[in-house]
């Protein structure tokens, strides 16, 4: 890499760095971050990312509301979070500076596009004086670069209109940062060239800007030397970088293949779940039928119909859509058909904070249907973990003939990390056996259950002699005929609950990562995994014993959870809600699970967990 | 695995001789004695043996309501789903299994009140569903509230001083929603009922059929003024493709369009046969069908019955299949390993 | 009353009797029961009723599925349930006998219409031989009456068609039972005469049949004497008989009057809630606007819009509809507007058992919305209690500017009991003060809260200078402007929760009806009140101490509930679900609340509670 | 208390002189630079002072979407509700307060996809709402999926191989749903926009206005073929009541009905002016308006703009008020005590 440059200055080696790119929603910060991520991934660093953008498509230029940022944590060792605070903040304009500077620790590096610090932009965000001059930033290592002008300069020859050229300044920033951290340049240039192949002008401007930024680093005396973050030695294998939504889509495709059930994916667009629809609709050669429904109610209805017909019925949404699917999910519970409902959680209640993350739909997933309507709930703990979580959701759904809710969230969905590719042939076989003959003398009883799983037979249309009708009215166990008998209803309500409860025997016990002498257990679920793990590592680094257990299955709970929580003096449940899992644990095991709650639309910081855990250990 | 064959346990659809009984389930029919639903059920069960579709290749999907109990009585596959959602559920069946014969049975409340959105979207998408709406102008199952097809001023449990809601004209709604097949029939004439259902079945695509149905408990005689034997010839306007639109005992009355393209009833004697509108089900433009749908605002005026519109458009699931096949042709059957490795990867030794 | 008869036999006095009328859905059993109820109420007995009918409008004649029954408990003292089992069973046909006989205790009186016991009807329900002859009913006091033929006979003169006349046989039965229990006849005859005034034929046939039944009692030697249940000495006051749905409607009307807010009631018909819509639409002179919406989503939307405009927005439904209202309710929580959502619970999940009762929507009411979206929940414990519950729901909603869910159920809704009319002028004043001036300098801040209640101002359109916009996106506290700031979101989530939590200071502590030395507390909510009270009375009758507490407010809990449950060795929570309240209590107070669950679509029986309580006391 | 006066703090609606600024809120407008929504907002704010309605007597209700942000920018009362439900929420406002001027702002997805059912029901009920649908043939806020008005074959994030959904014709949907006022305008012509909104406001009852709106980020130029200055005279067919329907630089083209009442474009030179269809907004029968709505399937053919239909029907809330008043006249204002005592009562001493 550094061979690529004529630079003589030797890079200094770091074990990790956290960089945050911040600018206007129009400045292309997400693209900049994505590029830096791909290069760093391919380079072999471990990494984690945190995109953060406004709900508006294009919030007003130059305003705080319009600021978009992308934080990336790269390291030479295994890491689990995008980092609490950045070491380097790239601020493309005053708004980006104002919105992010408070996160930059004293001594941190601040890279600014000084061209953007004019009167208008400054006043827009309420700066009386220019912070670049008034000394108010003296606590930081400021690097001012006239990114816009240099970019324009670099593009002059190309005949690009200035307004156009100016748009390439984010690639200048990328080039500069790429030099600072000795990232290979070829991959980025190749990407630009094929991405903008159709628009030669834009392509050339972007390449020019990128190179200009890289060379600026080399030549400018602003930096005494670049830095280097060596590759991390991760588990051997083939890796790729992946976001949670992509991993979810791949997990579904994999399960569709191993179950030999063609997928019918019906969904209504909603942030942050839409990308799953976008991804799946690309892979029609896997036999995936995607339908953009008129609304979420139709989407779940389509998936249910597809399941009855023998397909893998899947629908995904976020909170508001899950509300609307409630009645349909209740029907699927009554029909006892396999169905996958994915909720990519976002900030609520109501429309709330559509582009921010939250864990506040657990109770809705658990209880959001009238009547006694239990169903299994699976959750993902990391972006790449969405693959396994989706696969597990399908496994349970098809084996137990039940709808399953998979909970992910906006942070997992949009964040990314390296993923070690699974061995495709090693995936569990999910083959389904459809009923093909009468099961009760010469009759077919659609509700005659498997004695072990309590699952009912799945007989699909086209199968001669197995014609049957299913519906939402209470039905007689066995025959499935409509039945209003009081005892039968009581029996059915209990057996549907029992069927879900028995899944506890078919899932792994929850693993506890516990130190000897640990008195405090940190119990988490979902995307808090990274922050909790990092927090626990810090506590251990201080030589204090602590235990961490993280749930993938939220209903039913793993069979050993009761023992586990009983085994510690104190149980801490950190959640990005007001304490939903803790309520479930308290009710189930009567242990005084304590909540650490944060509802900021952003993930926890390792430091927050470290502090709380220490307080509990010492306090 | 992507192809449907894998899901169609029984590809074979060779002609079979079936009888009405083959389509009757063992469930006791639970409508009120005298309910119009009985005659629709009978017509369906008499008709089905004429198609060469085996019972196991048919799926009846319904929502909730008296009408929606229909699937329980058919010895086919069936789903009694939730209120208003049958068109969505049926779309899922059709999407997964284009090889099946999928019917939707609905009531005026189920289809046009809570289910209005799914109905119009399934029609515009032209999903290959046969959608029957039993219109009794009342909510039967919930014991008699007015429905979206009830006339203004109707006194019901929920409108003691008369309903204020201007009703839908279901045929107009369907035509406004791009329906490719629209027809109307009623529960008093099994022959017409069977013919109409037959036509719906022949249509490839979404077929909407309004069936006037008497709810003798909560809205008795709602259609008597036009469907009673003695009134039919004067009050029902049978539509026949290619024929001038006439009715009356001796075809003495007919239908004409005025200079605004509005349909109105005339005496043939006054205008002469040549002035009558010649019915054409196949006009690409739904305007003339729409005009015909406006002839009667309430079932007390001469009302057109039969097929108002029947045009061909690609079916939704057919197009979906086409895209699946093209995709395989273009990029070969999906390869999971290759998919996971798509994009930049790197190896750690 | 007995003066009305020429009978010399002296009636024997009883303190209570439970009568169950059972026949085909077509036989008019509900009407028969209603009449007997009104007469007994007016006569001054205390009473409780339990109608029980199939989901089909007219299930097939003569089948078990088609059996409709009405049980009434009348007494000379205060009673709280319709009775566990009947003392007298009136069976109009073999199906009615087969479906109900198992409930009749040995020695009970069985009154049958022998005309209906023909070959066809018997085989229809699987009787090989006629139970009236084969001695299989020897354990009961059988009274066989050819009700059909006598009715036809009685109507012969009137020129009514036999098919018509035959339909009056239920009035024959009513007449006969009226004689048996010396009920006044005039009221019934008057009722028939004005009800069927339009159809003279029917009117006369019914009157004739009723009288025939009454006189048959007098003359036939089947009975040695009639019975008499003297009036109960209830609290002084004016009484009427009332069903739960009617009481709910009246409670809403009363609150609309005292709050001076015109009611906009938007609802989509659904069993068993529709009668509230039917009732309210009759009272337009109270300024009530009722709208039959296209669906439940529209209904809640209309109510929200009405509330914004300054009306009392109300919507009612049952489980399936509550599912659909989830998203709208979440919006109302975010808008912080008053809204009343009534859920008349029925058997679930999905379409379930539409005409049967259940308590299984508590968790849905509590958690059935995405995000952190808490709201107050009020429940009714008896049919007449629905009046106060509805009134209380409105009080909380308008005072705290929040949606409130009122939970009743099918048993309360359709069951009836005598109700002591409240003093209208004594009703709490619910007058609302709309904002009419800027509240922050010369600006109006729609989210500037009352420091005590945390309620925001309610400024309605038409008020000059107070124009403002509200919406479902997160908003800044105070100004109400759309706001994505992490701290603000966290603050808003917590303050919305705090607002609801503070209501605990504004509701009465839960009362405990406790014996000295009681070690077992029975904690209930909703319609189990009657059965629990009766069960507790039985336990006490055996000289065992026990305590009973019954919740009206389910969220927040009364402030003293924690102490209360902690004050007993064991806590029993009987529910018509799988243990929903017990989960909430366990999570809140970490007490081992034990569940007694029954999901039969029918209320508990006092005996079931007696047994369980004794077991807990002794065990 | 039942009368609305109690709820109308400001009965006084005497003429006032207001300016555009009186209708602008202090909130920063957050649409993308160049979005067509800006010009619609401007037109509205320029227009409102012409009505003598004070800002405090107006309520703007919206669902979710870019278009739905509209109410935040108006200095009136407003509700940014949830996706698709604005017509229902607005119905509640109108029902509670017939004295208010209620507007619904919606997008093509909000109004026709998730909100389709509420839209058609509010139209048939004829609730006094002014319903504006900003049709950009795309889902803007969710970053570019096809919508129910997108053309078949459209490539979007959710239809990489082209959309298969046959689109709705919003005008046809509204007419099929009994709408009493239906119009179309676009974001490039402020004058026409203002005139059309003005007409909608004058209409007593539900007014549905489709506004072609450019989403320059996700569907740029969707309507350029007809709304760009240079194309307007040839591609937009302005409808004027009582006038023969003509267009083109010198009115050289026109619209005729054929024998099936189908509208088609003709050269005036060929057929003569007298053969042209004379536009009549007030036909009780919606058929001719429907025919006109079928002239263009996509905004690439000559497309009628202006008011297609404007007829009078009683408004829903007006009728509700009538029933309230009649009830009081009939039985006097409600008396709670008497109500509770209705039916059989007895006294216990
Ligand atoms: C979500 C939901 N809302 C309401 C109901 C109650 N409900 C059942 S059927 C029905 C309407 C029945 O009318 P229609 O569709 O015309 O059928 P019909 O009984 O007249 O045949 C209603 C309101 C329900 N089952 N589910
Ligand atoms: C219940 C629900 N489902 C989905 C969404 C996501 N969503 C918000 S706006 C929108 C569609 C926007 O398209 P349109 O109505 O045409 O408005 P535009 O942005 O184009 O103006 C969608 C799908 C939501 N907010 N709520
Ligand atoms: S209520 Fe009406 S529609 Fe329903 S079964 Fe009875 S007669 Fe038929
Ligand atoms: S995304 Fe399109 S519709 Fe939305 S604001 Fe931007 S340009 Fe306008
Ligand atoms: Mg109906
Ligand atoms: Mg749009």
């Amino acid at each position: 890499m550094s061979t690529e440059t004529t630079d003589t200055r030797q890079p200094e080696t770091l074990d990790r760095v956290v960089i945050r790119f911040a600018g206007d929603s129009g400045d292309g910060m997400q693209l900049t971050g994505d590029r830096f991520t791909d290069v760093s991934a391919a380079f072999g660093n471990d990494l984690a990312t945190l995109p953060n953008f406004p709900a508006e498509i294009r919030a007003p230029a130059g305003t705080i509301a319009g600021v978009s940022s992308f934080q990336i944590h790269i390291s030479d060792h295994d890491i689990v979070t995008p980092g609490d605070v950045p070491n380097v903040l790239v601020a493309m304009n005053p708004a980006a500076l104002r919105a992010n500077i408070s996160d930059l620790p004293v001594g941190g590096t601040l890279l600014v596009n000084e061209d953007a610090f004019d009167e208008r932009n400054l006043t827009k965000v309420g700066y009386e004086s220019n912070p670049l001059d008034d000394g108010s930033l003296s606590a930081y290592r400021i690097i001012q670069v006239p990114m816009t002008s240099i970019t324009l300069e670099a593009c002059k020859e190309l005949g690009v209109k200035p307004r156009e050229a100016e748009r390439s300044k984010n690639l200048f920033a990328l080039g500069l940062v790429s030099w600072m951290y000795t990232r290979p340049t070829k991959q980025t240039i190749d990407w630009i060239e094929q991405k903008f192949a159709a628009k030669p002008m834009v392509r050339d401007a972007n390449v020019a800007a990128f190179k200009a930024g890289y060379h600026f680093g080399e030549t400018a005396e602003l930096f005494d030397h670049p830095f280097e973050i060596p590759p991390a030695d991760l588990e051997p294998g083939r890796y790729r970088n992946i976001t949670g939504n992509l991993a979810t889509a791949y997990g579904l495709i994999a399960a569709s293949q191993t179950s030999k059930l063609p997928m019918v994916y019906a969904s209504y667009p909603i942030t942050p779940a839409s990308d799953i629809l976008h991804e799946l609709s690309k892979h029609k050669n896997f036999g995936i039928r995607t339908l953009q429904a008129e609304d979420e109610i139709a989407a779940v209805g389509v998936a249910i119909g597809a399941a009855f017909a023998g397909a893998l019925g899947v629908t995904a949404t976020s909170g508001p859509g899950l509300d609307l699917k409630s009645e349909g999910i209740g029907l699927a519970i009554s029909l006892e058909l396999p169905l996958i409902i994915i909720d990519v959680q976002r900030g609520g209640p109501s429309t709330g904070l559509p582009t921010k993350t939250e864990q506040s739909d657990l109770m809705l997933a658990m209880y959001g249907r009238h009547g006694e309507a239990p169903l299994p709930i699976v959750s993902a703990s990391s972006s790449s973990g969405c693959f396994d979580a989706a696969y597990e959701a399908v496994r349970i759904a098809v084996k137990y003939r039940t709808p399953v809710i998979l909970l992910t969230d906006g942070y997992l969905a949009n964040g990314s990390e390296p993923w070690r590719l699974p061995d495709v042939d090693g995936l569990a076989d999910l083959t389904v056996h459809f009923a093909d003959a009468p099961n009760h003398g010469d009759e077919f009883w659609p509700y005659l259950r498997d004695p072990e799983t309590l699952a009912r037979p799945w007989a699909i249309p086209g199968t001669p002699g197995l014609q049957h009708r299913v519906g939402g009215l209470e039905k007689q166990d066995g025959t499935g005929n409509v039945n209003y008998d009081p005892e039968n209803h009581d029996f059915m309500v209990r057996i549907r609950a029992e069927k879900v409860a028995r899944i506890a025997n078919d899932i792994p016990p929850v693993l506890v990562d516990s130190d000897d002498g640990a008195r405090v257990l940190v119990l988490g679920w979902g995307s808090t995994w990274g922050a909790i793990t990092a927090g626990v590592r810090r506590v251990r680094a201080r030589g204090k014993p602590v235990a961490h257990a993280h749930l993938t299955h939220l209903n039913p709970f793993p069979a050993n959870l009761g023992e586990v929580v009983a085994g510690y003096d104190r149980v801490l449940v950190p959640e990005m809600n007001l304490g939903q899992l803790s309520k479930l644990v308290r009710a189930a095991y009567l242990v005084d699970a304590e909540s650490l709650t944060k509802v900021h639309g952003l993930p926890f910081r390792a430091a927050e967990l470290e502090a709380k855990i220490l307080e509990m250990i010492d306090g | 695995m992507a192809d449907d064959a894998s899901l169609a346990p029984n590809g074979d659809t060779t002609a079979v001789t079936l009888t009405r009984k083959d389509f009757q389930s063992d469930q006791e029919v639970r409508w009120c004695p005298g309910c119009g639903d009985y005659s629709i059920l009978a017509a369906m069960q008499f008709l089905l043996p004429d198609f060469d579709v085996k019972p196991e290749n048919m799926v009846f999907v319904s929502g909730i309501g008296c009408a929606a109990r229909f699937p329980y009585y058919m010895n086919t596959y069936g789903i009694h789903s939730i209120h208003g959602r049958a068109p969505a559920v049926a779309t899922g069946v059709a999407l997964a299994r284009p090889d099946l014969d999928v019917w939707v049975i609905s009531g005026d409340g189920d289809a046009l009140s809570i289910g209005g959105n799914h109905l119009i979207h399934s029609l515009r998408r032209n999903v290959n569903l046969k959608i029957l709406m039993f219109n009794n102008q009342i909510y039967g199952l919930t014991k008699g509230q007015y429905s979206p097809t009830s006339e203004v001023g109707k006194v019901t449990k929920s409108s003691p001083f008369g309903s204020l809601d201007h009703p839908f004209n279901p045929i107009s709604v369907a035509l406004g929603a791009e329906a490719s097949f629209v027809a109307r029939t009623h529960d008093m004439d099994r022959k017409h009922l069977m013919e109409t259902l037959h036509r719906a079945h022949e249509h490839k695509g979404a077929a909407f059929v309004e069936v006037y149905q008497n709810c003798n408990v909560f809205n008795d005689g709602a259609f008597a003024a036009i469907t009673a034997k003695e009134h039919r010839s004067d009050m029902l306007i049978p539509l026949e493709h290619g024929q001038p639109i006439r009715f009356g005992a001796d075809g003495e009355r007919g239908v004409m369009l005025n200079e605004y393209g509005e349909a109105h009833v005339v005496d043939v004697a006054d205008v002469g046969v040549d002035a009558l509108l010649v019915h054409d089900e196949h006009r690409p433009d739904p305007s003339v069908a729409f005009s015909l749908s406006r002839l009667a605002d309430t079932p007390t005026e001469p009302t057109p019955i039969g097929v108002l519109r029947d045009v061909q458009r690609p079916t939704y699931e057919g197009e979906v299949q086409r895209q699946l096949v093209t995709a395989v042709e273009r990029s070969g059957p999906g390869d999971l390993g290759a998919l996971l490795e798509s994009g930049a990867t790197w190896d750690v030794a």
Side-chain angles (χ1 to χ4, degrees), chain A residues 161-385:
Chain A
K161 289 195 216 64
R163 267 191 86 276
E164 288 303 315
E166 193 262 348
R167 304 234 209 115
S168 300
K169 64 179 179 304
N170 60 323
L171 282 132
F172 177 95
L174 179 61
L176 179 50
V177 178
S178 296
W179 175 82
M180 282 173 70
Y181 294 94
T182 53
R183 306 284 95 179
T185 55
K186 182 168 183 316
Q187 189 181 343
T188 307
I189 292 168
D190 293 349
W191 181 88
I192 298 172
E193 284 178 339
Q194 62 121 91
K195 169 83 175 182
F196 300 99
K199 307 192 188 114
M201 279 280 188
V202 183
R203 178 196 60 202
D204 301 347
N206 284 336
V207 172
F210 177 74
K211 288 186 172 160
Y214 198 93
H215 296 135
F216 181 85
E218 280 175 23
T219 45
E221 290 305 317
L222 297 171
F223 310 89
D224 39 12
H225 59 71
F227 302 90
E228 183 171 52
I229 294 90
D233 51 7
L234 304 167
E235 246 183 285
R238 173 155 293 177
Y239 283 77
R240 66 169 292 161
N241 192 54
I242 197 160
T243 63
N245 275 343
L246 185 57
T248 301
Y250 283 0
L252 293 172
I253 295 174
S256 165
Q257 294 278 312
T258 58
S259 63
K260 304 184 192 56
L261 298 174
M263 193 192 318
V264 170
Y265 182 89
S267 164
Y268 187 68
I270 185 167
T271 306
S274 307
D275 285 339
I276 304 175
L277 169 63
H278 303 158
E279 182 62 29
L280 290 174
S281 51
K282 292 180 198 158
H283 303 293
K284 304 207 180 294
N285 58 327
F286 284 84
I288 301 167
R289 300 126 167 92
T290 56
L291 177 136
Q292 182 176 308
E294 57 269 30
D295 61 25
E296 288 84 352
I297 298 175
V300 70
V302 168
I304 289 170
F308 179 78
L312 177 63
V314 185
T315 185
T317 186
S318 188
L322 189 58
D323 289 352
L324 291 168
K325 294 178 195 288
S326 300
E327 192 195 9
I329 295 169
L331 173 65
I333 288 171
S334 179
L335 300 185
E336 299 190 47
L337 282 172
L339 176 70
I340 309 297
I341 306 101
I342 301 164
D343 175 11
V344 184
Q345 301 167 95
R346 66 187 214 184
S350 198
T351 311
L353 298 170
T355 59
K356 306 283 185 251
T357 196
E358 207 159 282
Q359 287 183 298
S360 50
D361 297 350
L362 174 56
M363 285 307 209
L364 174 64
M366 192 75 186
Y367 298 118
R369 298 157 293 278
H370 71 280
E372 289 292 344
L375 52 65
I377 303 173
V378 175
S379 67
S381 306
S382 69
S383 294
S384 65

Side-chain angles (χ1 to χ4, degrees), chain B residues 66-67 107-110 134-141 147 149 213 215:
Chain B
C66 295
D108 43 319
D110 193 54
F134 300 180
N135 183 5
N136 54 14
Q137 301 191 338
I138 199 81
Y139 286 0
L141 191 70
S147 90
T149 57
Q213 171 248 331
C215 168

Side-chain angles (χ1 to χ4, degrees), chain B residues 12 35 58 67 87 94 110 241 253 286 293 302-304 317 323-324:
Chain B
D12 147 38
C35 176
M58 304 195 108
D110 193 54
H241 181 65
R253 311 181 71 195
S293 77
T303 304
E317 63 270 53
Q323 284 193 336
L324 297 185

Side-chain angles (χ1 to χ4, degrees), chain B residues 107-130:
Chain B
D108 43 319
D110 193 54
L112 287 175
S113 194
I114 193 169
N117 206 34
H118 309 303
L119 175 67
I120 61 180
H121 281 271
S122 57
L123 292 176
R124 81 171 170 98
R125 288 195 190 106
N126 203 35
V127 184
N128 191 13
L129 306 174
K130 313 301 156 233

